[in-house]
Amino acid sequence: YQWSRRGEHVRRWYVPLSARDIVIYSTVTFAGWRGRGISPLMMRHIIEQECSGTGSQAYVDCKVWNRAAIRGIEKAGFRRLGS
């Protein structure tokens, strides 16, 4: 599962958010489903559904030590803003 929230519902974040921006966080892939590309696929689906044609940006939050999550985020096409 993945949680997402619009910028209008985020009080403070690491970068300025517009009301229509999306933040994806708290991604969990159950052990039996890991390594199948589900997390990046879900991220791309959320972005397609929530950002298409709105001019909004999508961001993902992840702990710096979570290498598996970082790989999945990068496979979804995101680039790192901070360390």
Side-chain angles (χ1 to χ4, degrees):
Y1 63 84
Q2 293 179 344
W3 292 91
S4 65
R5 183 173 273 197
R6 289 228 177 261
E8 65 189 336
H9 301 294
V10 178
R11 285 191 173 168
R12 286 186 342 175
W13 207 57
Y14 306 102
V15 297
L17 299 171
S18 76
R20 300 292 301 163
D21 287 344
I22 296 291
V23 177
I24 299 171
Y25 61 98
S26 190
T27 297
V28 175
T29 304
F30 296 113
W33 295 91
R34 291 184 186 145
R36 299 181 185 194
I38 292 172
S39 180
L41 182 66
M42 287 174 58
M43 284 181 202
R44 288 191 298 265
H45 179 74
I46 290 170
I47 294 163
E48 183 179 303
Q49 295 298 308
E50 300 296 329
C51 296
S52 183
T54 65
S56 57
Q57 299 289 318
Y59 300 91
V60 181
D61 191 11
C62 174
K63 302 289 186 195
V64 296
W65 51 261
N66 193 339
R67 298 297 308 151
I70 292 169
R71 281 191 305 272
I73 291 165
E74 290 172 345
K75 285 180 183 179
F78 286 90
R79 61 182 174 83
R80 193 180 293 207
L81 293 176
S83 57

